[in-house]
Amino acid sequence: YGNVEAIFGNCFYKLCYGVDLNRNWPDEFGGPSTSSNLCSLVYPGEQAFDQLETKAVKEKVEALQKETSIDLFLTFHSYSQLFLTPYGYTGDKVPAEHEYHKAQ
């Protein structure tokens, strides 16, 4: 498995592994913080939820929503030590009046 990128005038192929799972969600899919280069660290996949991991999380959250109310869903990972939100696809600051700043 993996993505294949043609190099040196299509004479050779470089096998590239993986998709950036943080960018495999529908919010701003394929937007400015991604790359269509199959070997890029920010390659989002062919479409949102086309990876088993993101699809499994999506299906679990949908199942939980049928049973209970979900106020917050948060995942952690260690690459770059960043806290990313849907606003993380640009360098813009979240507006001061945005719901992210309101305590429930």
Coordinates of all heavy atoms in Angstrom, one line a residue:
Y1 N 0.8 -1.2 0.0 CA 0.0 0.0 0.0 C 0.9 1.2 0.0 O 2.0 1.2 0.3 CB -0.9 0.0 1.2 CG -1.9 -1.1 1.2 CD1 -1.8 -2.2 2.0 CD2 -3.0 -1.0 0.4 CE1 -2.7 -3.2 2.0 CE2 -3.9 -2.0 0.3 CZ -3.8 -3.2 1.2 OH -4.7 -4.2 1.1
G2 N 0.2 2.3 -0.3 CA 1.0 3.6 -0.3 C 0.7 4.4 -1.5 O 0.0 3.9 -2.4
N3 N 1.1 5.6 -1.5 CA 0.9 6.4 -2.7 C 2.2 6.3 -3.5 O 3.3 6.2 -3.0 CB 0.7 7.9 -2.2 CG -0.5 8.0 -1.3 OD1 -1.5 7.4 -1.5 ND2 -0.3 8.8 -0.3
V4 N 2.0 6.4 -4.8 CA 3.1 6.3 -5.7 C 3.3 7.6 -6.5 O 2.3 8.2 -7.0 CB 2.9 5.2 -6.8 CG1 4.1 5.1 -7.7 CG2 2.7 3.8 -6.0
E5 N 4.5 8.1 -6.5 CA 4.8 9.4 -7.2 C 5.8 9.1 -8.3 O 6.9 8.5 -8.0 CB 5.4 10.4 -6.2 CG 5.7 11.7 -6.9 CD 6.3 12.7 -5.9 OE1 7.3 12.3 -5.2 OE2 5.9 13.8 -5.9
A6 N 5.6 9.5 -9.5 CA 6.5 9.3 -10.6 C 7.6 10.4 -10.5 O 7.4 11.5 -10.2 CB 5.8 9.5 -11.9
I7 N 8.9 9.9 -10.6 CA 10.0 10.9 -10.6 C 10.9 10.6 -11.8 O 10.8 9.6 -12.4 CB 10.8 10.7 -9.2 CG1 11.2 9.3 -9.0 CG2 9.9 11.2 -8.1 CD1 12.1 9.1 -7.8
F8 N 11.8 11.5 -12.0 CA 12.8 11.4 -13.1 C 12.1 11.1 -14.4 O 12.4 10.1 -15.1 CB 13.9 10.4 -12.8 CG 14.6 10.7 -11.6 CD1 14.6 9.9 -10.5 CD2 15.5 11.9 -11.5 CE1 15.3 10.2 -9.3 CE2 16.2 12.2 -10.4 CZ 16.1 11.3 -9.3
G9 N 11.1 12.0 -14.8 CA 10.5 11.8 -16.1 C 9.7 10.5 -16.2 O 9.6 9.9 -17.3
N10 N 9.1 10.1 -15.1 CA 8.3 8.9 -15.1 C 9.1 7.6 -15.3 O 8.5 6.5 -15.6 CB 7.1 8.9 -16.1 CG 6.1 10.0 -15.7 OD1 5.9 10.3 -14.5 ND2 5.5 10.6 -16.7
C11 N 10.4 7.7 -15.2 CA 11.2 6.5 -15.4 C 11.3 5.6 -14.1 O 11.5 4.4 -14.1 CB 12.7 6.8 -15.8 SG 12.8 7.6 -17.4
F12 N 11.1 6.3 -12.9 CA 11.2 5.6 -11.6 C 9.9 6.1 -10.8 O 9.3 7.1 -11.1 CB 12.4 6.0 -10.9 CG 13.7 5.6 -11.6 CD1 14.4 6.5 -12.3 CD2 14.2 4.3 -11.5 CE1 15.5 6.1 -13.0 CE2 15.3 3.9 -12.1 CZ 16.0 4.8 -12.9
Y13 N 9.6 5.3 -9.8 CA 8.5 5.6 -9.0 C 9.0 5.6 -7.5 O 9.7 4.7 -7.1 CB 7.3 4.7 -9.2 CG 6.7 4.8 -10.5 CD1 7.2 4.1 -11.6 CD2 5.7 5.8 -10.8 CE1 6.7 4.2 -12.9 CE2 5.2 5.9 -12.0 CZ 5.7 5.2 -13.1 OH 5.1 5.4 -14.3
K14 N 8.5 6.6 -6.8 CA 8.9 6.7 -5.3 C 7.6 6.3 -4.6 O 6.5 6.9 -4.8 CB 9.3 8.1 -5.0 CG 9.6 8.3 -3.6 CD 10.4 9.6 -3.4 CE 9.4 10.7 -3.1 NZ 10.0 12.0 -2.8
L15 N 7.7 5.3 -3.7 CA 6.5 4.9 -2.9 C 6.4 5.9 -1.7 O 7.4 6.0 -0.9 CB 6.7 3.5 -2.4 CG 5.5 2.8 -1.9 CD1 4.4 2.8 -2.9 CD2 5.8 1.4 -1.5
C16 N 5.3 6.5 -1.6 CA 5.0 7.4 -0.5 C 3.9 6.8 0.4 O 2.9 6.4 -0.1 CB 4.6 8.8 -1.0 SG 5.7 9.4 -2.2
Y17 N 4.2 6.8 1.7 CA 3.2 6.2 2.6 C 2.4 7.3 3.3 O 2.9 8.2 3.9 CB 4.0 5.4 3.7 CG 4.6 4.2 3.1 CD1 6.0 4.2 2.7 CD2 3.9 3.0 2.8 CE1 6.6 3.1 2.1 CE2 4.5 1.9 2.2 CZ 5.8 2.0 1.9 OH 6.4 0.9 1.3
G18 N 1.1 7.0 3.4 CA 0.3 7.8 4.3 C -0.4 9.0 3.8 O -0.1 9.6 2.8
V19 N -1.3 9.4 4.7 CA -2.1 10.6 4.6 C -2.0 11.3 5.9 O -2.0 10.7 6.9 CB -3.6 10.2 4.3 CG1 -4.6 11.3 4.5 CG2 -3.7 9.6 2.8
D20 N -2.1 12.6 5.9 CA -2.1 13.4 7.1 C -3.6 13.3 7.6 O -4.5 13.9 7.1 CB -1.7 14.9 6.9 CG -1.8 15.7 8.1 OD1 -2.2 15.2 9.2 OD2 -1.3 16.9 8.1
L21 N -3.8 12.5 8.7 CA -5.1 12.2 9.2 C -5.8 13.5 9.7 O -7.0 13.6 9.7 CB -5.1 11.2 10.2 CG -4.6 9.8 9.7 CD1 -4.6 8.8 10.9 CD2 -5.5 9.3 8.6
N22 N -5.0 14.5 10.2 CA -5.6 15.7 10.6 C -6.2 16.5 9.5 O -7.1 17.4 9.7 CB -4.5 16.6 11.3 CG -4.0 16.0 12.5 OD1 -4.7 15.6 13.4 ND2 -2.7 15.9 12.6
R23 N -5.9 16.2 8.3 CA -6.4 16.9 7.1 C -7.4 16.0 6.4 O -7.8 16.4 5.3 CB -5.3 17.4 6.2 CG -4.5 18.6 6.9 CD -3.3 18.9 6.1 NE -2.7 20.1 6.6 CZ -1.9 20.2 7.7 NH1 -1.6 19.1 8.4 NH2 -1.4 21.3 8.1
N24 N -7.8 14.9 6.9 CA -8.7 14.0 6.2 C -10.1 14.1 6.7 O -10.8 13.2 6.8 CB -8.1 12.5 6.4 CG -8.8 11.5 5.5 OD1 -9.5 10.6 6.0 ND2 -8.7 11.7 4.2
W25 N -10.5 15.3 7.1 CA -11.8 15.6 7.6 C -12.4 16.6 6.6 O -11.7 17.3 5.9 CB -11.7 16.3 9.0 CG -11.1 15.3 10.0 CD1 -9.7 15.1 10.2 CD2 -11.8 14.5 10.9 NE1 -9.6 14.1 11.2 CE2 -10.8 13.7 11.6 CE3 -13.1 14.2 11.2 CZ2 -11.2 12.8 12.6 CZ3 -13.5 13.3 12.1 CH2 -12.5 12.6 12.8
P26 N -13.8 16.8 6.7 CA -14.4 17.6 5.7 C -14.2 19.1 5.8 O -14.4 19.8 4.8 CB -15.9 17.2 5.8 CG -16.0 16.7 7.2 CD -14.7 16.0 7.5
D27 N -13.9 19.6 7.0 CA -13.7 21.0 7.2 C -12.5 21.5 6.4 O -11.4 21.1 6.6 CB -13.5 21.4 8.7 CG -14.7 21.1 9.5 OD1 -15.8 21.1 9.0 OD2 -14.5 20.8 10.7
E28 N -12.8 22.4 5.4 CA -11.8 22.9 4.5 C -10.9 21.8 3.8 O -9.7 22.0 3.6 CB -10.9 23.9 5.3 CG -11.6 25.1 5.7 CD -12.1 26.0 4.6 OE1 -11.4 26.2 3.6 OE2 -13.3 26.5 4.7
F29 N -11.5 20.7 3.5 CA -10.8 19.6 2.9 C -10.1 20.1 1.6 O -10.7 20.7 0.8 CB -11.7 18.4 2.6 CG -10.9 17.3 2.0 CD1 -10.2 16.4 2.8 CD2 -10.7 17.1 0.6 CE1 -9.5 15.4 2.3 CE2 -10.0 16.1 0.1 CZ -9.3 15.2 0.9
G30 N -8.8 19.8 1.5 CA -8.0 20.2 0.3 C -7.7 21.7 0.2 O -7.3 22.2 -0.8
G31 N -7.9 22.4 1.3 CA -7.7 23.8 1.3 C -6.3 24.3 1.3 O -5.4 23.5 1.0
P32 N -6.0 25.5 1.8 CA -4.7 26.1 1.7 C -3.6 25.5 2.5 O -2.5 25.7 2.2 CB -5.0 27.6 2.1 CG -6.2 27.5 2.9 CD -7.0 26.4 2.3
S33 N -3.9 24.7 3.5 CA -2.9 24.1 4.3 C -2.6 22.7 3.9 O -2.0 21.9 4.7 CB -3.3 24.1 5.8 OG -4.4 23.3 6.0
T34 N -3.0 22.3 2.7 CA -2.8 20.9 2.2 C -1.9 20.9 0.9 O -1.7 22.0 0.4 CB -4.1 20.2 2.0 OG1 -4.8 20.9 0.9 CG2 -5.0 20.2 3.2
S35 N -1.6 19.7 0.5 CA -0.9 19.6 -0.8 C -1.5 18.4 -1.6 O -1.8 17.4 -1.0 CB 0.6 19.3 -0.5 OG 1.3 19.0 -1.7
S36 N -1.5 18.6 -2.9 CA -1.9 17.5 -3.7 C -0.8 16.5 -4.0 O -1.0 15.5 -4.7 CB -2.5 18.0 -5.0 OG -1.6 18.8 -5.7
N37 N 0.4 16.9 -3.6 CA 1.6 16.0 -3.8 C 1.4 14.8 -2.9 O 1.4 14.9 -1.6 CB 2.8 16.8 -3.4 CG 4.1 15.9 -3.5 OD1 4.1 14.7 -3.5 ND2 5.2 16.6 -3.7
L38 N 1.4 13.6 -3.5 CA 1.2 12.4 -2.7 C 2.2 12.1 -1.6 O 2.0 11.4 -0.7 CB 1.1 11.2 -3.7 CG 0.0 11.2 -4.8 CD1 0.2 10.0 -5.7 CD2 -1.3 11.2 -4.2
C39 N 3.4 12.7 -1.8 CA 4.5 12.5 -0.8 C 4.6 13.6 0.2 O 5.5 13.5 1.0 CB 5.8 12.3 -1.6 SG 5.8 10.7 -2.6
S40 N 3.7 14.5 0.2 CA 3.8 15.6 1.1 C 3.3 15.2 2.5 O 2.5 14.4 2.6 CB 2.9 16.8 0.6 OG 2.8 17.8 1.6
L41 N 3.9 15.9 3.5 CA 3.5 15.6 4.9 C 2.1 16.1 5.2 O 1.5 15.8 6.2 CB 4.5 16.3 5.9 CG 5.8 15.6 5.9 CD1 6.7 16.4 6.9 CD2 5.8 14.2 6.4
V42 N 1.6 17.0 4.3 CA 0.2 17.6 4.5 C -0.7 17.1 3.4 O -1.7 17.8 3.1 CB 0.3 19.1 4.5 CG1 1.0 19.6 5.8 CG2 0.9 19.7 3.3
Y43 N -0.5 15.9 2.8 CA -1.4 15.3 1.8 C -2.6 14.8 2.5 O -2.6 14.0 3.4 CB -0.7 14.2 1.1 CG -1.6 13.5 0.1 CD1 -2.1 14.1 -1.0 CD2 -2.0 12.1 0.3 CE1 -3.0 13.5 -1.9 CE2 -2.8 11.5 -0.6 CZ -3.3 12.1 -1.7 OH -4.1 11.5 -2.6
P44 N -3.8 15.3 2.2 CA -5.1 15.0 2.9 C -5.8 13.7 2.5 O -6.7 13.4 3.1 CB -6.0 16.2 2.6 CG -5.6 16.6 1.2 CD -4.1 16.3 1.1
G45 N -5.3 13.1 1.4 CA -6.0 11.9 0.9 C -6.8 12.4 -0.3 O -6.8 13.5 -0.7
E46 N -7.6 11.4 -0.9 CA -8.3 11.8 -2.1 C -9.7 12.5 -1.7 O -10.2 13.3 -2.5 CB -8.6 10.5 -2.9 CG -7.4 9.9 -3.5 CD -7.6 8.7 -4.4 OE1 -8.8 8.5 -4.8 OE2 -6.7 7.9 -4.6
Q47 N -10.2 12.1 -0.6 CA -11.4 12.8 -0.1 C -11.5 12.6 1.4 O -10.9 11.8 2.0 CB -12.7 12.2 -0.8 CG -12.9 10.8 -0.5 CD -14.1 10.2 -1.3 OE1 -14.4 10.7 -2.4 NE2 -14.8 9.2 -0.8
A48 N -12.4 13.4 2.0 CA -12.5 13.4 3.5 C -13.0 12.0 3.9 O -13.9 11.4 3.2 CB -13.5 14.4 3.9
F49 N -12.5 11.5 4.9 CA -12.9 10.2 5.5 C -12.6 9.0 4.6 O -13.2 7.9 4.7 CB -14.4 10.1 5.9 CG -14.8 11.2 6.9 CD1 -15.8 12.1 6.6 CD2 -14.2 11.2 8.1 CE1 -16.2 13.0 7.5 CE2 -14.6 12.2 9.1 CZ -15.6 13.1 8.7
D50 N -11.6 9.1 3.7 CA -11.2 8.0 2.9 C -10.2 7.1 3.6 O -9.8 6.1 3.1 CB -10.7 8.4 1.5 CG -9.4 9.1 1.5 OD1 -8.9 9.5 2.6 OD2 -8.9 9.4 0.4
Q51 N -9.8 7.4 4.8 CA -8.9 6.6 5.6 C -9.6 5.9 6.7 O -10.6 6.4 7.3 CB -7.8 7.5 6.2 CG -7.0 8.3 5.2 CD -6.3 7.4 4.2 OE1 -5.4 6.6 4.6 NE2 -6.6 7.5 2.9
L52 N -9.2 4.7 7.0 CA -9.8 3.8 8.0 C -9.9 4.5 9.3 O -10.9 4.4 10.0 CB -9.1 2.5 8.1 CG -9.2 1.6 6.9 CD1 -8.4 0.3 7.1 CD2 -10.6 1.2 6.5
E53 N -8.8 5.2 9.7 CA -8.8 5.8 11.1 C -9.8 6.9 11.2 O -10.6 7.0 12.2 CB -7.4 6.4 11.4 CG -6.3 5.3 11.4 CD -5.7 5.0 10.0 OE1 -6.2 5.4 9.0 OE2 -4.6 4.4 10.0
T54 N -9.9 7.9 10.2 CA -10.8 9.0 10.4 C -12.2 8.5 10.2 O -13.2 9.0 10.8 CB -10.5 10.1 9.4 OG1 -10.4 9.5 8.1 CG2 -9.2 10.8 9.8
K55 N -12.4 7.5 9.3 CA -13.8 6.9 9.1 C -14.3 6.2 10.4 O -15.4 6.4 10.8 CB -13.8 5.9 8.0 CG -15.1 5.4 7.6 CD -15.1 4.5 6.4 CE -16.4 3.9 6.1 NZ -16.4 3.0 5.0
A56 N -13.4 5.5 11.1 CA -13.7 4.9 12.4 C -14.1 5.9 13.4 O -15.1 5.7 14.2 CB -12.6 4.0 12.8
V57 N -13.4 7.0 13.6 CA -13.7 8.0 14.5 C -15.0 8.6 14.2 O -15.9 8.8 15.1 CB -12.6 9.1 14.6 CG1 -13.0 10.2 15.5 CG2 -11.3 8.5 15.2
K58 N -15.2 8.9 12.9 CA -16.5 9.5 12.5 C -17.7 8.6 12.9 O -18.7 9.1 13.4 CB -16.5 9.8 11.0 CG -17.8 10.2 10.4 CD -17.6 10.3 8.9 CE -18.9 10.6 8.2 NZ -19.8 9.5 7.9
E59 N -17.6 7.3 12.6 CA -18.7 6.4 12.8 C -18.9 6.2 14.3 O -20.0 6.1 14.8 CB -18.4 5.1 12.2 CG -18.5 5.2 10.6 CD -18.0 3.9 9.9 OE1 -17.5 2.9 10.6 OE2 -18.1 3.9 8.7
K60 N -17.8 6.2 15.1 CA -18.0 6.1 16.6 C -18.7 7.3 17.1 O -19.6 7.2 18.0 CB -16.6 5.9 17.2 CG -16.7 5.8 18.7 CD -17.4 4.5 19.1 CE -17.4 4.3 20.6 NZ -18.1 3.1 21.0
V61 N -18.3 8.5 16.7 CA -19.0 9.7 17.2 C -20.4 9.8 16.8 O -21.3 10.1 17.6 CB -18.2 11.0 16.7 CG1 -19.0 12.3 16.9 CG2 -16.8 11.1 17.3
E62 N -20.7 9.4 15.5 CA -22.1 9.3 15.1 C -22.9 8.3 15.9 O -24.1 8.6 16.3 CB -22.2 8.9 13.6 CG -21.7 10.1 12.7 CD -21.6 9.6 11.2 OE1 -21.6 8.4 10.9 OE2 -21.6 10.6 10.4
A63 N -22.3 7.2 16.3 CA -23.0 6.2 17.1 C -23.3 6.8 18.5 O -24.4 6.6 19.1 CB -22.2 4.9 17.2
L64 N -22.3 7.4 19.1 CA -22.4 8.0 20.4 C -23.5 9.1 20.4 O -24.2 9.3 21.4 CB -21.1 8.6 20.9 CG -20.0 7.6 21.3 CD1 -18.7 8.3 21.5 CD2 -20.5 6.8 22.5
Q65 N -23.6 9.9 19.3 CA -24.6 11.0 19.2 C -26.0 10.4 19.3 O -26.9 11.1 19.7 CB -24.4 11.8 18.0 CG -23.2 12.7 18.1 CD -23.0 13.5 16.8 OE1 -23.1 13.0 15.7 NE2 -22.7 14.8 16.9
K66 N -26.2 9.2 18.9 CA -27.5 8.6 18.9 C -27.9 8.2 20.4 O -29.1 8.1 20.7 CB -27.6 7.3 18.0 CG -27.5 7.6 16.6 CD -27.4 6.3 15.8 CE -27.3 6.7 14.3 NZ -27.2 5.5 13.5
E67 N -26.9 8.0 21.2 CA -27.1 7.6 22.6 C -27.1 8.7 23.6 O -27.7 8.7 24.6 CB -26.0 6.6 23.0 CG -26.0 5.3 22.2 CD -24.8 4.5 22.5 OE1 -24.1 4.7 23.5 OE2 -24.5 3.6 21.7
T68 N -26.3 9.8 23.3 CA -26.1 10.9 24.3 C -25.8 12.2 23.5 O -25.5 12.1 22.3 CB -25.0 10.5 25.3 OG1 -24.9 11.5 26.3 CG2 -23.6 10.4 24.6
S69 N -25.7 13.2 24.3 CA -25.3 14.5 23.7 C -23.8 14.7 23.9 O -23.3 14.5 24.9 CB -26.0 15.6 24.4 OG -25.5 16.9 24.0
I70 N -23.1 15.0 22.8 CA -21.7 15.3 22.9 C -21.4 16.8 22.8 O -21.8 17.4 21.8 CB -21.0 14.5 21.7 CG1 -21.2 13.0 21.8 CG2 -19.5 14.9 21.7 CD1 -20.6 12.3 20.6
D71 N -20.8 17.3 23.8 CA -20.5 18.7 23.9 C -19.1 19.0 23.3 O -18.8 20.1 22.8 CB -20.6 19.3 25.3 CG -22.0 19.2 25.8 OD1 -23.0 19.5 25.0 OD2 -22.3 19.0 27.0
L72 N -18.2 18.0 23.5 CA -16.8 18.3 23.0 C -16.2 16.9 22.6 O -16.4 15.9 23.3 CB -16.0 18.9 24.2 CG -14.5 19.0 23.9 CD1 -14.2 20.1 22.9 CD2 -13.7 19.3 25.2
F73 N -15.5 16.9 21.5 CA -14.8 15.8 21.1 C -13.3 16.2 20.9 O -13.1 17.2 20.1 CB -15.3 15.1 19.8 CG -14.5 14.0 19.4 CD1 -14.6 12.7 20.0 CD2 -13.6 14.1 18.3 CE1 -13.9 11.7 19.6 CE2 -12.9 13.0 17.9 CZ -13.0 11.8 18.5
L74 N -12.4 15.6 21.5 CA -11.0 16.1 21.5 C -10.1 14.9 21.3 O -10.2 13.9 22.0 CB -10.7 16.9 22.8 CG -9.4 17.5 22.9 CD1 -9.2 18.7 22.0 CD2 -9.2 18.1 24.4
T75 N -9.2 15.0 20.4 CA -8.1 14.0 20.2 C -6.8 14.7 20.4 O -6.6 15.9 20.2 CB -8.2 13.3 18.8 OG1 -8.0 14.3 17.8 CG2 -9.5 12.7 18.6
F76 N -5.8 13.9 20.8 CA -4.5 14.4 21.0 C -3.5 13.6 20.1 O -3.6 12.4 19.9 CB -4.0 14.1 22.5 CG -4.7 15.0 23.4 CD1 -5.9 14.5 24.1 CD2 -4.3 16.3 23.7 CE1 -6.5 15.3 25.0 CE2 -5.0 17.1 24.6 CZ -6.1 16.6 25.3
H77 N -2.5 14.3 19.7 CA -1.3 13.7 19.0 C -0.1 14.6 19.3 O -0.2 15.7 19.8 CB -1.6 13.5 17.5 CG -1.8 14.9 16.8 ND1 -0.7 15.5 16.2 CD2 -2.9 15.6 16.6 CE1 -1.2 16.6 15.7 NE2 -2.5 16.7 15.9
S78 N 1.1 14.0 19.0 CA 2.3 14.7 19.5 C 3.0 15.5 18.3 O 3.9 16.3 18.6 CB 3.2 13.8 20.1 OG 3.6 12.8 19.2
Y79 N 2.7 15.3 17.1 CA 3.4 16.0 16.0 C 3.2 17.5 16.1 O 2.1 18.0 16.1 CB 3.0 15.4 14.7 CG 3.9 15.9 13.5 CD1 5.0 15.2 13.3 CD2 3.6 17.0 12.8 CE1 5.9 15.5 12.3 CE2 4.4 17.4 11.8 CZ 5.6 16.6 11.5 OH 6.4 17.0 10.5
S80 N 4.3 18.2 16.2 CA 4.3 19.7 16.2 C 3.9 20.3 17.5 O 4.0 21.5 17.6 CB 3.5 20.3 15.0 OG 4.0 19.9 13.8
Q81 N 3.3 19.6 18.4 CA 2.9 20.1 19.7 C 1.9 21.3 19.5 O 2.1 22.3 20.2 CB 4.1 20.5 20.5 CG 5.2 19.5 20.7 CD 4.6 18.2 21.4 OE1 4.0 18.3 22.4 NE2 4.9 17.1 20.8
L82 N 1.0 21.1 18.7 CA 0.0 22.2 18.4 C -1.4 21.8 18.8 O -1.8 20.6 18.8 CB 0.0 22.5 16.9 CG 1.3 23.0 16.2 CD1 1.1 23.1 14.7 CD2 1.7 24.3 16.8
F83 N -2.2 22.8 19.2 CA -3.6 22.6 19.4 C -4.3 23.1 18.2 O -4.3 24.3 17.9 CB -4.1 23.4 20.6 CG -5.6 23.3 20.8 CD1 -6.2 22.1 21.3 CD2 -6.4 24.4 20.6 CE1 -7.5 22.1 21.4 CE2 -7.7 24.3 20.8 CZ -8.3 23.2 21.2
L84 N -4.9 22.2 17.4 CA -5.5 22.6 16.1 C -7.0 22.6 16.3 O -7.6 21.7 16.9 CB -5.1 21.7 15.0 CG -3.6 21.6 14.8 CD1 -3.3 20.5 13.7 CD2 -3.1 22.9 14.3
T85 N -7.7 23.5 15.7 CA -9.1 23.6 15.6 C -9.5 23.7 14.1 O -8.6 23.8 13.3 CB -9.6 24.9 16.3 OG1 -9.3 26.0 15.6 CG2 -9.1 24.9 17.7
P86 N -10.8 23.7 13.8 CA -11.1 23.9 12.4 C -10.5 25.2 11.8 O -10.3 25.3 10.6 CB -12.6 23.9 12.4 CG -13.0 23.0 13.5 CD -11.9 23.3 14.5
Y87 N -10.2 26.2 12.7 CA -9.6 27.4 12.3 C -8.1 27.2 12.0 O -7.4 28.1 11.6 CB -9.8 28.5 13.3 CG -11.1 29.2 13.1 CD1 -12.2 28.8 13.8 CD2 -11.2 30.3 12.2 CE1 -13.5 29.5 13.7 CE2 -12.4 31.0 12.1 CZ -13.5 30.6 12.8 OH -14.7 31.2 12.6
G88 N -7.6 26.0 12.3 CA -6.1 25.8 12.1 C -5.7 25.7 10.7 O -4.5 25.6 10.4
Y89 N -6.5 25.8 9.7 CA -6.1 25.8 8.3 C -5.6 27.1 7.8 O -5.1 27.1 6.7 CB -7.3 25.2 7.4 CG -8.5 26.1 7.4 CD1 -8.6 27.1 6.5 CD2 -9.5 25.9 8.3 CE1 -9.7 27.9 6.4 CE2 -10.7 26.7 8.3 CZ -10.8 27.7 7.3 OH -11.9 28.5 7.3
T90 N -5.7 28.1 8.6 CA -5.1 29.4 8.2 C -4.3 30.0 9.4 O -4.4 29.4 10.5 CB -6.1 30.5 7.8 OG1 -6.8 30.9 9.0 CG2 -7.1 29.9 6.8
G91 N -3.6 31.0 9.2 CA -2.9 31.7 10.3 C -3.7 32.7 10.9 O -3.3 33.4 11.8
D92 N -5.0 32.9 10.5 CA -5.9 33.9 11.1 C -6.2 33.5 12.6 O -6.3 32.4 12.9 CB -7.2 33.9 10.3 CG -7.0 34.3 8.9 OD1 -5.9 34.9 8.6 OD2 -7.9 34.1 8.1
K93 N -6.4 34.6 13.3 CA -6.8 34.4 14.7 C -8.3 34.1 14.8 O -9.1 34.6 13.9 CB -6.5 35.6 15.6 CG -5.0 35.8 15.8 CD -4.8 37.0 16.7 CE -3.3 37.2 16.9 NZ -2.7 36.4 18.0
V94 N -8.7 33.3 15.8 CA -10.1 33.1 16.0 C -10.8 34.3 16.5 O -10.2 35.0 17.4 CB -10.4 31.9 17.0 CG1 -11.8 31.7 17.3 CG2 -9.7 30.6 16.5
P95 N -11.9 34.8 15.9 CA -12.5 36.0 16.3 C -12.8 36.0 17.8 O -13.2 34.9 18.4 CB -13.8 36.1 15.5 CG -13.6 35.2 14.3 CD -12.6 34.1 14.8
A96 N -12.7 37.1 18.5 CA -12.9 37.1 20.0 C -14.3 36.7 20.4 O -14.4 36.1 21.5 CB -12.6 38.6 20.5
E97 N -15.3 36.9 19.6 CA -16.6 36.6 19.9 C -17.0 35.1 19.5 O -18.1 34.7 19.7 CB -17.6 37.6 19.3 CG -17.7 37.5 17.8 CD -16.6 38.3 17.1 OE1 -15.7 38.9 17.7 OE2 -16.6 38.2 15.8
H98 N -16.0 34.4 19.0 CA -16.3 33.0 18.5 C -16.7 32.1 19.7 O -16.3 32.3 20.8 CB -15.1 32.5 17.7 CG -15.5 31.2 17.0 ND1 -15.5 30.0 17.5 CD2 -15.9 31.1 15.7 CE1 -15.9 29.1 16.6 NE2 -16.1 29.8 15.5
E99 N -17.5 31.1 19.3 CA -18.0 30.1 20.4 C -16.8 29.4 21.1 O -17.0 28.9 22.2 CB -18.9 29.1 19.7 CG -18.3 28.2 18.7 CD -19.3 27.3 18.0 OE1 -19.5 26.2 18.5 OE2 -19.7 27.7 16.9
Y100 N -15.7 29.3 20.5 CA -14.5 28.6 21.1 C -14.1 29.3 22.4 O -13.6 28.7 23.3 CB -13.3 28.6 20.2 CG -13.4 27.7 19.0 CD1 -12.6 27.9 17.9 CD2 -14.3 26.6 19.0 CE1 -12.7 27.0 16.8 CE2 -14.4 25.8 18.0 CZ -13.6 26.0 16.8 OH -13.6 25.1 15.8
H101 N -14.4 30.6 22.5 CA -14.1 31.4 23.7 C -15.1 31.4 24.8 O -15.0 31.9 25.9 CB -13.8 32.8 23.3 CG -12.6 32.9 22.4 ND1 -11.3 32.6 22.8 CD2 -12.5 33.3 21.1 CE1 -10.5 32.8 21.7 NE2 -11.2 33.2 20.7
K102 N -16.3 30.7 24.6 CA -17.4 30.7 25.5 C -17.4 29.5 26.3 O -17.3 28.4 25.8 CB -18.7 30.9 24.8 CG -18.8 32.1 24.0 CD -20.1 32.2 23.2 CE -20.2 33.4 22.4 NZ -21.3 33.4 21.4
A103 N -17.4 29.6 27.6 CA -17.6 28.5 28.5 C -19.0 28.0 28.6 O -19.9 28.8 28.6 CB -17.0 28.8 29.9
Q104 N -19.2 26.8 28.7 CA -20.6 26.2 28.8 C -21.0 26.0 30.2 O -20.3 25.5 31.0 CB -20.7 24.9 28.0 CG -20.5 25.1 26.5 CD -21.7 25.5 25.8 OE1 -22.8 25.4 26.2 NE2 -21.5 26.1 24.6

